[in-house]
Amino acid sequence: MSKKLNPESLMMSYGYKPELSEGAIKCPIFQTSTFVFKTAEEGKAFFEVAYGKREKGVNEELGLIYSRLNNPDLEILENRLCLWDEAEDCAVFESGMSAISTVLLEFLKPGDTILYALPLYGGTDHFIHHFLPSIGVKVHGFKAGMSKNEILAKLEKEQVDLRSLKMIYLETPANPTNDLIDISLLREFANDIKQEEDILIAVDNTYMGPLWQHPLKHGADFVIYSATKYIGGHSDVIAGAVLCSRELMSRVKTLRTFLGNMAGPWTGWLLMRSLETLKVRMEQQQSNAVKVSEHLAKHPKIKSISYLGLLEEKDPSYPIFKKQCKGTGAMISFNVKGGEKEAFKVLNALKLIKLAVSLGSTESLAQHPKTMTHAGVEEASMEEMGIFDSLIRLSVGVENYEDIIWDLDQALEQI
Ligand SMILES: *Cc1c(COP(=O)(O)O)cnc(C)c1O
């Protein structure tokens, strides 16, 4: 085939050979813990590669050994996930948090410093604040919108030894506020101060799925997903993924093998099934979100709204959006007029939209960040991050947009 096919055209078949599975059109679930070697010599050869005793030959594939190391449902899924981000390699995990914590544990050692953007997903925030310091990693935050000089000044004020800076970790757009962070600006920042080794940049890209933002193209070293969200997309599976260069991946996969936090074959199979409709789902969610946000922006019971599709050209984030994002996403945050009482009234009155955390799923979900997803954030930094009592976060699903708008309108009438 000479034409380079688009990822959505390859999600049904890429990396799978029906002739190896009785001609089955779909990849079966390889519900097996271990794999039979043809000969002892073959088993020996597989282990030599798996344990890094020798380099893989040019046309040699890593043979199947044991499902903690590799399994067809995981390998084919990983190959397919690489296509969206044009990554060299991918590793799938049993949750987004295990993907995140494995990367942080592998690349940060006692004495190292991590610089992270605020706000972060609550679980990541907790791991950075409560676990990393316990193994001697120093943690320093910066806020979206800071310039290179402002970040440097902050680190100098906090007396950070720049030689110890090993990783920059961020989410953009930030959850729940949709604040944008310029990935290529941080790449420049990292290159300006790097000494011998590169400072690694990790981007949690869950909010923009694999469709609307490709951080590796802007200088990131790792893209991390909670595959529970858009990739899984049906609120029925917990999973995570990391994408990076082959070189970095050999370290990620080695630690995964020994932590044993790879996804199982059933999770891999579910995610492959989800990937077939990834693009149609996400595009429908986005076009619904555009309609819903335009309606809410004019609503008399709403004080303010944040959605990437409503960014105005004069907004300081607009150039970042133009450079970095390929879509406006399906995540809307809005402040109702009033406080927690009014926000709760709206949430309790929803009929079609479900009151639940999580995002990126086929059904629309609404929640109250201050008392739910972000309940662990320090009270003092809540308002600074834009997390108010009146804030509701909405993940728009694939329902008919008129029905979503109807539901929001009838719920907002409760105020
Ligand atoms: C949900 C989420 C995570 C954690 O993923 P799990 O699959 O729940 O472990 C990490 N980052 C972001 C942005 C998330 O939304």
Side-chain angles (χ1 to χ4, degrees):
M1 240 184 293
S2 53
K3 184 179 184 313
K4 184 171 181 287
L5 299 174
N6 290 289
E8 63 271 28
S9 306
L10 295 168
M11 285 305 112
M12 284 60 78
S13 58
Y14 186 73
Y16 171 67
K17 299 190 186 104
E19 63 273 22
L20 297 181
S21 297
E22 309 278 6
I25 188 160
K26 288 289 127 165
C27 179
I29 306 173
F30 287 87
Q31 191 67 49
T32 184
S33 58
T34 194
F35 296 86
V36 178
F37 305 134
K38 289 195 193 82
T39 60
E41 288 75 10
E42 185 188 73
K44 178 181 173 188
F46 290 177
F47 267 94
E48 282 168 352
V49 175
Y51 278 71
K53 292 191 167 177
R54 64 173 173 86
E55 284 290 305
K56 205 157 54 175
V58 196
N59 290 320
E60 187 179 1
E61 287 186 30
L62 178 59
L64 293 162
I65 297 175
Y66 183 70
S67 287
R68 180 157 46 72
L69 280 69
N70 52 3
N71 175 292
D73 290 296
L74 285 202
E75 290 192 343
I76 298 168
L77 168 65
E78 288 168 350
N79 293 341
R80 290 183 189 174
L81 279 171
C82 282
L83 298 176
W84 298 95
D85 280 283
E86 296 188 16
E88 283 181 11
D89 206 352
C90 172
V92 177
F93 289 82
E94 205 39 86
S95 68
M97 276 316 301
S98 61
I100 293 165
S101 51
T102 301
V103 168
L104 295 177
L105 284 172
E106 176 57 33
F107 295 95
L108 293 167
K109 302 297 163 202
D112 289 350
T113 298
I114 179 174
L115 175 66
Y116 65 93
L118 287 158
L120 286 183
Y121 175 73
T124 312
D125 190 271
H126 186 94
F127 191 79
I128 288 180
H129 281 105
H130 297 273
F131 185 81
L132 290 182
S134 77
I135 57 164
V137 173
K138 285 168 269 173
V139 306
H140 292 267
F142 73 98
K143 275 191 300 191
M146 279 183 153
S147 68
K148 287 194 283 184
N149 285 338
E150 283 167 323
I151 300 173
L152 199 58
K154 185 173 185 288
L155 291 179
E156 274 165 10
K157 199 166 139 225
E158 292 167 5
Q159 299 184 325
V160 175
D161 175 2
L162 291 177
R163 282 168 307 182
S164 72
L165 182 59
K166 292 291 157 64
M167 187 184 281
I168 302 175
Y169 188 98
L170 62 116
E171 280 168 33
T172 178
N175 173 10
T177 52
N178 283 329
D179 288 338
L180 293 175
I181 296 177
D182 188 338
I183 301 168
S184 52
L185 182 93
L186 285 163
R187 181 77 270 164
E188 285 170 26
F189 173 83
N191 290 350
D192 288 349
I193 61 172
K194 85 160 197 194
Q195 323 270 325
E196 282 132 45
E197 296 168 57
D198 281 337
I199 296 168
L200 298 170
I201 299 182
V203 178
D204 179 333
N205 202 34
T206 302
Y207 240 57
M208 292 303 260
L211 210 60
W212 299 316
Q213 181 170 270
H214 299 120
L216 297 177
K217 293 201 166 60
H218 301 279
D221 299 289
F222 298 100
V223 178
I224 305 181
Y225 290 106
S226 166
T228 310
K229 313 297 165 56
Y230 287 106
I231 294 174
H234 296 71
S235 301
D236 56 8
V237 62
I238 299 272
V242 175
L243 296 113
C244 59
S245 68
R246 257 179 228 108
E247 196 185 334
L248 293 170
M249 187 54 80
S250 74
R251 291 179 60 183
V252 174
K253 283 199 176 160
T254 301
L255 186 58
R256 185 183 69 169
T257 291
F258 296 106
L259 292 176
N261 54 359
M262 73 298 153
W266 172 227
T267 298
W269 187 89
L270 278 172
L271 291 179
M272 276 197 274
R273 183 168 179 140
S274 289
L275 279 182
E276 298 191 5
T277 54
L278 181 83
K279 190 166 183 225
V280 283
R281 282 187 281 112
M282 289 181 77
E283 286 185 340
Q284 185 63 47
Q285 288 175 262
Q286 174 169 266
S287 78
N288 283 352
V290 168
K291 300 249 175 35
V292 170
S293 69
E294 283 166 358
H295 180 81
L296 291 180
K298 296 190 299 252
H299 201 287
K301 301 275 169 75
I302 284 179
K303 196 161 54 192
S304 65
I305 174 164
S306 119
Y307 175 62
L308 290 182
L310 298 173
L311 263 188
E312 290 181 19
E313 288 189 25
K314 60 178 191 294
D315 192 294
S317 296
Y318 191 79
I320 309 178
F321 169 72
K322 272 299 191 203
K323 173 170 67 171
Q324 205 164 277
C325 307
K326 292 177 140 178
T328 53
M331 296 301 295
I332 300 173
S333 294
F334 58 92
N335 285 291
V336 295
K337 287 190 178 153
E340 183 184 290
K341 188 164 135 249
E342 287 71 22
F344 279 17
K345 269 191 183 163
V346 173
L347 290 169
N348 288 336
L350 291 169
K351 294 188 164 118
L352 174 69
I353 301 167
K354 297 290 173 282
L355 170 53
V357 299
S358 200
L359 61 99
S361 199
T362 42
E363 70 273 285
S364 295
L365 299 172
Q367 62 108 8
H368 187 248
K370 181 154 185 193
T371 58
M372 297 171 192
T373 46
H374 292 69
V377 174
E378 273 176 76
E379 191 69 30
S381 33
M382 286 260 195
E383 299 228 326
E384 208 184 340
M385 291 183 193
I387 305 171
F388 300 104
D389 287 319
S390 52
L391 188 70
I392 290 176
R393 188 188 80 180
L394 181 66
S395 167
V396 180
V398 301
E399 304 92 340
N400 184 300
Y401 75 88
E402 289 177 348
D403 295 340
I404 302 172
I405 290 175
W406 163 82
D407 196 21
L408 288 163
D409 278 350
Q410 66 80 25
L412 283 160
E413 258 169 48
Q414 304 300 313
I415 301 183

